[in-house]
Amino acid sequence: MSARASRTGRSLFLLAPLLLFLAGFFVWPLFSMMSQAVSDTAVLRLLPQSAEVLAGWDRKSPPTPEMQTALIADLKAVEDTQALGDMVRRLNSARSGFRTLMSKTTSALSDEADPPADLVSIDKRWERPEFWLAIADALSPLTDRNLLAAVDLGRNADGEIEHLPADQSVNRVILVRTFWISALVTFACIAIGYPYAIIAASLSGWKRDVMLAAVLLPLWTSLLVRTAAWFILLQEQGLINDVLQMLGLTSGPVQLIFNRTGVVIAMTHVLLPFMVLPIYSVLITIPKNLMPAAASLGAHPLRAFLRVLLPLSLRGVAAGSLLVFISAIGYYITPALIGGPGDQMISSIIAFYAIGSANWGMAGALGVVLLAATLVLYSVYARLSADEPGRR
Amino acid sequence: MKTIIKTGVLAAAAAVLAAGLAAPALARDLTVVSWGGNYQDGQREIYFKPYAEKTGKPVLDESWDGGIGVLQSKVKAGAPNWDAVQVEAEELALGCSDGLFEKIDWDKMGGKDRFLDSAVNDCGVGAIVWSTAIAYDGDKIAEGPNSWADFWNVEKFPGKRGLRKGPKYTLEFALMADGVSKDEVYDVLSTDEGVERAFKKLDELKPHIVWWESGAQPLQFLASGEVAMTSAYNGRITGINRTEGKNFKVVWPGSIYAVDSWVVLKDAENKDAAQDFIAFASQPENQAKLPEYVAYGLPVKEAAAKVPADLAKDLPTEPANMPEAISLNTDFWIDNSETLTQRFNAWLAQ
Amino acid sequence: MRRRRSFLLPGGEKVAEGRMRGPALCPTARAREPLLAEFIRFDRITKFYGPLCVVENLDLGIGKGEFVSLLGPSGSGKTTLLMMLAGFEQPTSGTILVDGQAVNDVPTHKRDMGVVFQSYALFPHMTVGENIAFPLEMRGLGKAEIADRVTRALDMVQLSAMRERRPAQLSGGQQQRVALARALVFEPRVVLMDEPLGALDKQLREQMQLDIRDLHRRLGLTIVFVTHDQSEALTMSDRVAVFNKGKIEQIGTPRQVYDEPATRFVAEFIGETNLIEGVVARISGGEAAVRLASGAEIVSAVSGGVAEGATVYLSVRPERIELAEARNAAHNCLETEVTDSVYQGDHLRVELAAGSHPLIAKLGRRSREFEPGTKVFAAFSAGDCRVIAPPDGQRQAAAS
Ligand SMILES: Nc1ncnc2c1ncn2[C@@H]1O[C@H](COP(=O)(O)OP(=O)(O)OP(=O)(O)O)[C@@H](O)[C@H]1O
Ligand SMILES: [Mg+2]
């Protein structure tokens, strides 16, 4: 019994680096992303008195003197400027204008010589219920606001869920578009990568090395350089258009850049290795004599391919597709630089919230939605590949 | 997605540090962060290297692409690995009110009076004045555009237009194109009708716009003939004229200028050295060399006075370039950036 | 010798006799006529891989219903020959004829040959039943007929219970039998097997050898069987073709290649043998007297191709040697000294020295033990001994 326990202990000890790695680089980021998306304590933490008073407010009438006094007291008690920053960011994201309003208010409140009578005397905006409503709505520690907003929903004044107005509704469109572009890129990668991998696997020696190196090459240059190179090739006076016109295939330049075509071409190029390598690695494990065997049993090469090679390599295609699709979902530099206005992908929105405005809640919520959608797709894939005959 | 992972990694790294698993870090050299490209190459020659020589200690320089989120996650994780960072006006305002930056020791900088008013801030010292303006190829268009109305006029000036993908600048330009005078731009934009009006005006030009995202793109577009004219950063335009012998013109009327500032990250290991470095970079004799490398205006008045006339004519701070230009309204953008970005993206997706 | 050869299959006798007269002992001899009506012919086949000559100007005929083994050391070109017959490889020159038709330009899938690969080459994603049905589907047979024939094929290899399993769920021997069933189910003109038993353990191997031989007899199949295991070749085949460096050294019945090795290579490759060098002193009436270096003279059976005065080898199988205390006048008799003796269960292995020349004898289990140092006489009859002609070049040198 104790020997077994000590063995378990030892194996746990040996596993520890892996577990720590998984926890640190996988579980923890996911957990923090999800909690960012729903936690909403930035305001509640700093405004405990206002929270009590606001609970009795009818959410319509102008602010009462008690509300103003409570808020003044709360604001005066704040010492941590970073926490104040978080609160202001949270409020400003619900109601534009809070930034300047708050900095005006806090600096007026810190003026010992001439203390303001009430908030309205500092800024007229404090008269308007909308600003107080923003505070009142930010006082519960958990919120579905970010998650709803990530799919273009919001709560109205009565707390019912409804669509956001059209000029604020963009996430769904972009999300669907992101999946669509990723799917197109995945198909393009299959169409090019599968035959490529078959040829590479059927060769040997330096020819195989050259083919694999050629497909790996894009991984050795920076994404930006690759994207810039595609700009040069695809532009109106670019190499591809010149060649097309020289061959007389087109009369004028074809628009290849700043649209979907360009995005798909450039992303396919960048992601091709992730399709070719898994397929290739499955192909080289397929015994070399299966295709000759099929031929000796009377199968025409095409039928032999359909009945033997294709089903056996489907696992590689599925793995490659998953890799390409999921990587594609996360792309934003290439679509941003090569695509047109209609090719913005969800990651650029996430990047804006995270980097541009430090709104981790929204960034996290969009991340959660993306993750959920991806998991759904993955489960579909898992179902399909479980039925697939190539698996043992 | 990427950034989320990045923050996660930062957080995880912080957790590891907190757990005391990491050995106490060796003292880090002063790390200065700027915007890269030939601008940073110039800064390296006139600021970083001479300062390292003067103090006898190495100066590390890194580059970044902006974003308050980057600074916030560095400061929040504790012990940021950057000391002095050059930030845009919005990041300065946001970071200062959020407590991400150290307060500036203005005595060290030689007093506030030595600087332009707009370059003085509790948390930041102005480093450059730069401008976003219309650029066109003087070799292709003899009689170039003079205003944003011309920019919108695709009959008179056929060809595509380049604009930065995002609401900032774009909405201001649209209003000016619609006849709003430069002094009223932000008043109009502060109203819902004004925003409506700006987007309406953008609708007109939408089919002709090629959006750019990184500062090198608009000039690439212009050089390849992809666009007839574009908005661009003035330093880049002058730069490409000097290095590649182009004849790209800057249209100063209607341009929007802004100040970039040096800040010191809160609780950075070398925060004192960082302030010393900023003081060094603010000495007139050092700063005056900058226009040789890149055409940005100098916030130190004495330094600006030392710039020879042939270089000064390309600077946003040159009096001849100033009258029709406007200053970026940082307050407006820190209040409205998120809402307007959302709205802009929705408009773009239509 | 001749009496023993009559144990052969009835059809074999004629050929075997013929072999004794013709230039069969010439090591580069053309392949012998098949037992039955010729069905497959390799006509001056040469195969190069780049600069490497793998099969050199090879002629070989195989009769209908015959079981021919290709036996030879690794790298001698056996697989290559089989692959050319199956159509996976093209000969560099020469013609392959099947049933009188040149098949060089016929693609594999139209050659109608069942191939059993060394590693079985079963389709891992199909069940046993599907694997066996595959060639029938390719021939467009109806569902019912396919099911019927699969059932019969499975019965034949006694695997009916495994029909729904995947190959990975079978033992090596079972997989082997599936591969066999799959190669036979469509009743091909020829069955080609490339070391099909290589991966099996000894017992299973011997069982499968009998099974395959049995199938061959029952179905009247034409089988070309590649192996580098000499006992396997001897057990199973009607004829054995011994390969060396892309050439056939000798082809004949198992008994011929064992008892009458035509070349030193064959003698050494198949079984163990004693090779004694000497010079032919006289030839008369199918027997030759060969003088050894020690001066002793040995009388041996001989068949054409050897001239008086030629330097030759004598091959004597160890089990044909008897040890005697006294000189035996009726036999060839060499004076030797025992250097070692090892009891090996089924026989006693005695190592001897005839002067400086080592000899090996395998004695019956019941034989008495020999102490090292004992002086004994090694005796063998003229019929248990073969004269092996030297290779072409040496023969001329010796003759001149
Ligand atoms: N595809 C090929 N390319 C080049 N050389 C080859 C090729 N296939 C076989 N060879 C060479 O041809 C020679 C004969 O090979 P083969 O496979 O016919 O030998 P084998 O008699 O079947 O040997 P084993 O008993 O080891 O299977 C070997 O030297 C081998 O290296
Ligand atoms: Mg072989």
Side-chain angles (χ1 to χ4, degrees):
Chain A
M1 207 44 209
S2 83
R4 188 186 300 167
S6 88
R7 204 161 54 208
T8 320
R10 188 147 14 116
S11 50
L12 270 182
F13 177 75
L14 289 173
L15 273 176
L18 176 65
L19 293 178
L20 270 179
F21 177 85
L22 282 179
F25 290 88
F26 193 72
V27 179
W28 168 252
L30 270 182
F31 173 79
S32 75
M33 172 176 86
M34 290 180 186
S35 64
Q36 296 267 26
V38 294
S39 106
D40 197 19
T41 53
V43 179
L44 184 63
R45 203 150 42 118
L46 296 189
L47 306 182
Q49 301 184 37
S50 315
E52 273 175 37
V53 179
L54 278 170
W57 182 48
D58 67 358
R59 300 171 64 89
K60 283 187 202 83
S61 44
T64 61
E66 293 80 57
M67 284 159 65
Q68 300 199 29
T69 327
L71 188 56
I72 289 174
D74 279 334
L75 287 178
K76 276 189 169 163
V78 173
E79 266 163 16
D80 181 350
T81 47
Q82 292 190 14
L84 184 68
D86 288 343
M87 180 186 84
V88 174
R89 176 172 301 108
R90 163 70 181 85
L91 291 174
N92 194 65
S93 136
R95 178 89 223 158
S96 297
F98 251 111
R99 278 247 167 237
T100 48
L101 177 60
M102 271 296 181
S103 59
K104 199 169 166 189
T105 308
T106 45
S107 65
L109 288 177
S110 61
D111 187 354
E112 302 286 338
D114 178 22
D118 58 2
L119 289 173
V120 178
S121 68
I122 299 173
D123 193 303
K124 278 272 178 267
R125 281 180 280 184
W126 283 120
E127 259 176 2
R128 289 157 60 184
E130 302 99 280
F131 283 89
W132 290 92
L133 207 56
I135 298 179
D137 285 343
L139 291 174
S140 72
L142 289 178
T143 182
D144 57 4
R145 177 174 161 273
N146 290 320
L147 288 173
L148 289 175
V151 289
D152 296 340
L153 298 173
R155 288 186 187 276
N156 62 14
D158 300 326
E160 288 157 357
I161 294 176
E162 59 177 25
H163 279 275
L164 291 178
D167 62 5
Q168 295 169 34
S169 306
V170 71
N171 294 340
R172 264 193 232 179
V173 176
I174 293 184
L175 212 54
V176 169
R177 174 197 295 162
T178 302
F179 284 118
W180 175 236
I181 292 180
S182 304
L184 285 178
V185 170
T186 308
F187 284 127
C189 281
I190 293 175
I192 299 171
Y194 190 47
Y196 193 97
I198 288 185
I199 295 170
S202 72
L203 293 176
S204 60
W206 64 270
K207 288 180 198 152
R208 172 188 285 198
D209 295 344
V210 166
M211 281 196 79
L212 290 180
V215 79
L216 284 174
L217 210 57
L219 294 180
W220 297 340
T221 46
S222 91
L223 186 66
L224 231 56
V225 172
R226 273 176 278 163
T227 309
W230 275 113
F231 172 78
I232 292 166
L233 289 176
L234 295 174
Q235 65 190 349
E236 241 167 63
Q237 282 85 20
L239 199 63
I240 293 179
N241 261 318
D242 286 353
V243 170
L244 285 180
Q245 277 163 286
M246 212 172 65
L247 298 176
L249 292 174
T250 56
S251 53
V254 184
Q255 183 72 32
L256 293 172
I257 197 164
F258 308 131
N259 61 16
R260 196 61 53 90
T261 317
V263 174
V264 172
I265 292 176
M267 283 179 69
T268 301
H269 171 238
V270 172
L271 290 171
L272 199 57
F274 299 106
M275 182 64 80
V276 170
L277 292 183
I279 299 180
Y280 172 80
S281 66
V282 167
L283 283 175
I284 55 170
T285 63
I286 298 178
K288 284 274 164 294
N289 54 17
L290 293 189
M291 290 298 278
S296 75
L297 296 171
H300 184 269
L302 187 65
R303 290 186 80 181
F305 169 75
L306 290 176
R307 290 290 307 275
V308 178
L309 202 56
L310 183 65
L312 284 175
S313 54
L314 225 45
R315 227 160 9 115
V317 177
S321 303
L322 205 65
L323 263 177
V324 168
F325 186 82
I326 289 177
S327 312
I329 287 174
Y331 263 59
Y332 74 97
I333 294 181
T334 308
L337 297 186
I338 303 262
D343 299 315
Q344 209 170 18
M345 288 173 67
I346 197 71
S347 294
S348 68
I349 309 285
I350 298 179
F352 167 74
Y353 282 116
I355 299 178
S357 66
N359 185 345
W360 303 107
M362 252 332 263
L366 282 166
V368 167
V369 169
L370 197 55
L371 185 66
T374 310
L375 285 180
V376 168
L377 284 173
Y378 178 78
S379 66
V380 171
Y381 156 82
R383 277 289 277 285
L384 288 180
S385 59
D387 295 343
E388 177 232 313
R391 284 171 66 116
R392 290 187 210 139
Chain B
M1 202 72 187
K2 255 185 204 153
T3 23
I4 288 169
I5 288 165
K6 208 194 282 171
T7 24
V9 170
L10 284 175
V16 168
L17 278 174
L21 287 173
L26 292 171
R28 182 171 51 75
D29 292 322
L30 175 66
T31 309
V32 182
V33 182
S34 181
W35 297 93
N38 63 341
Y39 174 42
Q40 189 156 343
D41 294 341
Q43 289 180 311
R44 194 172 298 120
E45 293 303 319
I46 62 171
Y47 299 151
F48 308 158
K49 281 187 189 166
Y51 182 73
E53 264 162 39
K54 193 185 126 192
T55 57
K57 287 183 197 148
V59 174
L60 299 177
D61 67 303
E62 292 186 19
S63 67
W64 75 317
D65 291 318
I68 188 69
V70 175
L71 302 178
Q72 197 206 37
S73 53
K74 279 192 188 290
V75 172
K76 286 227 161 146
N81 61 346
W82 291 350
D83 301 303
V85 183
Q86 191 171 329
V87 300
E88 286 192 52
E90 273 174 272
E91 287 144 2
L92 175 64
L94 288 172
C96 195
S97 71
D98 291 4
L100 300 182
F101 305 142
E102 294 286 339
K103 294 276 181 274
I104 294 296
D105 179 355
W106 278 100
D107 290 340
K108 239 183 208 176
M109 306 299 150
K112 297 182 178 179
D113 296 342
R114 294 174 60 197
F115 292 81
L116 297 178
D117 287 347
S118 53
V120 177
N121 185 288
D122 279 354
C123 303
V125 180
I128 51 166
V129 181
W130 59 286
S131 202
T132 307
I134 301 174
Y136 65 93
D137 190 343
D139 291 341
K140 291 188 184 148
I141 309 178
E143 286 283 298
N146 266 319
S147 64
W148 287 103
D150 286 347
F151 189 87
W152 249 250
N153 189 339
V154 286
E155 263 107 63
K156 189 167 163 204
F157 302 103
K160 300 230 160 182
R161 305 291 195 259
L163 280 176
R164 189 180 136 160
K165 195 192 280 174
K168 195 163 89 172
Y169 299 113
T170 309
L171 297 180
E172 287 98 322
F173 294 155
L175 285 182
M176 285 191 266
D178 206 27
V180 176
S181 84
K182 73 170 184 95
D183 298 324
E184 289 169 357
V185 166
Y186 285 104
D187 294 337
V188 176
L189 205 52
S190 298
T191 62
D192 288 346
E193 300 77 52
V195 172
E196 209 60 51
R197 182 170 166 190
F199 276 108
K200 263 232 172 66
K201 190 67 185 173
L202 274 177
D203 279 336
E204 275 176 33
L205 198 64
K206 196 176 185 184
H208 306 282
I209 302 176
V210 172
W211 299 98
W212 55 266
E213 204 127 354
S214 79
Q217 274 184 298
L219 302 164
Q220 209 178 359
F221 296 172
L222 209 53
S224 72
E226 195 75 40
V227 299
M229 55 186 81
T230 179
S231 67
Y233 304 137
N234 78 290
R236 298 260 191 182
I237 306 169
T238 313
I240 200 170
N241 285 347
R242 283 188 203 161
T243 57
E244 292 180 27
K246 298 276 184 194
N247 183 24
F248 290 175
K249 302 281 191 202
V250 183
V251 181
W252 293 105
S255 65
I256 299 179
Y257 61 86
V259 176
D260 273 6
S261 303
W262 290 111
V263 298
V264 179
L265 294 192
K266 189 91 187 164
D267 295 330
E269 190 179 332
N270 304 308
K271 57 188 178 191
D272 294 329
Q275 300 237 8
D276 290 338
F277 165 77
I278 296 172
F280 179 82
S282 302
Q283 276 165 14
E285 62 273 23
N286 295 333
Q287 201 168 78
K289 295 176 195 154
L290 186 64
E292 284 172 38
Y293 293 92
V294 59
Y296 289 133
L298 304 181
V300 174
K301 294 174 207 166
E302 276 174 66
K306 289 186 181 192
V307 179
D310 63 321
L311 293 176
K313 71 176 193 331
D314 289 328
L315 305 187
T317 43
E318 175 71 7
N321 298 337
M322 291 292 279
E324 296 297 316
I326 62 172
S327 164
L328 182 77
N329 186 332
T330 313
D331 280 348
F332 174 81
W333 281 111
I334 63 175
D335 269 349
N336 296 295
S337 159
E338 213 174 290
T339 337
L340 289 179
T341 300
Q342 200 174 26
R343 168 111 192 230
F344 178 82
N345 284 335
W347 172 81
L348 211 54
Q350 273 162 25
Chain C
M1 253 335 255
R2 273 170 202 153
R3 257 183 297 115
R4 288 201 186 121
R5 228 179 286 121
S6 64
F7 282 113
L8 274 177
L9 293 169
E13 186 75 13
K14 173 186 71 191
V15 186
E17 288 300 327
R19 179 183 172 281
M20 297 306 294
R21 292 186 302 270
L25 271 186
C26 165
T28 51
R30 295 189 51 151
R32 324 246 15 293
E33 293 303 305
L35 295 162
L36 307 160
E38 182 170 281
F39 187 55
I40 296 169
R41 168 144 293 277
F42 293 95
D43 186 19
R44 279 164 296 155
I45 295 294
T46 298
K47 174 70 180 173
F48 278 90
Y49 282 120
L52 180 73
C53 182
V54 180
V55 174
E56 193 183 340
N57 201 22
L58 181 141
D59 283 303
L60 174 64
I62 294 169
K64 200 169 184 85
E66 195 183 14
F67 191 131
V68 172
S69 286
L70 310 184
L71 175 67
S74 190
S76 55
K78 311 179 295 286
T79 300
T80 307
L81 191 70
L82 204 68
M83 293 298 119
M84 288 190 285
L85 180 54
F88 304 141
E89 293 285 352
Q90 279 297 313
T92 310
S93 69
T95 316
I96 299 172
L97 299 138
V98 176
D99 213 2
Q101 305 281 312
V103 294
N104 290 39
D105 297 329
V106 178
T108 302
H109 67 276
K110 290 190 182 147
R111 286 199 187 183
D112 195 29
M113 295 182 184
V115 181
V116 181
F117 293 81
Q118 176 163 12
S119 49
Y120 317 142
L122 297 179
F123 303 130
H125 58 299
M126 298 182 193
T127 62
V128 167
E130 287 165 347
N131 262 287
I132 297 174
F134 185 87
L136 304 177
E137 280 172 36
M138 292 303 125
R139 285 167 175 75
L141 267 56
K143 270 216 161 58
E145 182 172 5
I146 290 179
D148 187 47
R149 284 173 70 164
V150 169
T151 308
R152 272 189 283 144
L154 281 169
D155 282 345
M156 175 183 77
V157 295
Q158 297 165 17
L159 282 177
S160 303
M162 307 290 171
R163 189 173 187 143
E164 297 308 320
R165 294 216 196 162
R166 291 272 158 84
Q169 299 164 322
L170 300 180
S171 74
Q174 290 166 335
Q175 292 185 39
Q176 170 58 47
R177 280 183 276 163
V178 176
L180 204 57
R182 189 180 66 174
L184 297 179
V185 71
F186 60 101
E187 294 169 6
R189 301 189 285 179
V190 192
V191 181
L192 313 181
M193 304 191 192
D194 189 3
E195 304 193 27
L197 310 181
L200 306 182
D201 65 41
K202 188 167 175 294
Q203 236 173 348
L204 196 55
R205 208 181 154 96
E206 281 165 5
Q207 179 59 44
M208 288 300 303
Q209 287 171 2
L210 297 179
D211 287 354
I212 292 174
R213 203 173 61 161
D214 187 46
L215 278 173
H216 168 242
R217 296 247 170 90
R218 265 193 321 181
L219 306 179
L221 295 166
T222 306
I223 294 182
V224 185
F225 187 96
V226 166
T227 179
H228 58 227
D229 178 334
Q230 39 121 346
S231 79
E232 188 167 283
L234 297 180
T235 316
M236 301 177 73
S237 329
D238 294 334
R239 284 193 304 155
V240 178
V242 183
F243 270 64
N244 183 29
K245 294 181 187 151
K247 294 183 185 165
I248 294 178
E249 291 263 336
Q250 186 176 5
I251 179 161
T253 62
R255 199 164 283 278
Q256 283 169 344
V257 293
Y258 188 81
D259 287 344
E260 301 162 25
T263 66
R264 180 178 175 175
F265 174 83
V266 176
E268 286 184 316
F269 187 75
I270 299 185
E272 201 175 14
T273 196
N274 292 299
L275 284 178
I276 308 164
E277 198 176 331
V279 179
V280 179
R282 300 175 302 281
I283 296 180
S284 67
E287 289 191 339
V290 176
R291 187 182 305 283
L292 307 187
S294 64
E297 206 166 86
I298 284 177
V299 182
S300 164
V302 68
S303 48
V306 182
E308 281 180 19
T311 305
V312 294
Y313 283 106
L314 291 168
S315 163
V316 190
R317 295 287 177 193
E319 67 273 16
R320 305 281 162 87
I321 295 181
E322 283 164 16
L323 297 185
E325 254 135 70
R327 191 173 278 280
N328 181 338
H331 281 82
N332 292 311
C333 210
L334 293 173
E335 202 176 328
T336 63
E337 182 181 323
V338 175
T339 55
D340 198 2
S341 93
V342 186
Y343 179 66
Q344 293 196 325
D346 56 346
H347 68 268
L348 183 72
R349 182 186 167 88
V350 182
E351 288 177 15
L352 307 157
S356 61
H357 202 291
L359 280 181
I360 289 165
K362 288 183 185 170
L363 305 179
R365 205 167 53 81
R366 295 218 171 78
S367 160
R368 69 179 184 87
E369 298 281 338
F370 290 90
E371 286 300 315
T374 317
K375 302 258 187 238
V376 291
F377 290 96
F380 47 92
S381 73
D384 288 336
C385 178
R386 301 294 308 175
V387 173
I388 295 177
D392 280 354
Q394 282 176 33
R395 187 171 18 181
Q396 267 152 26
S400 64

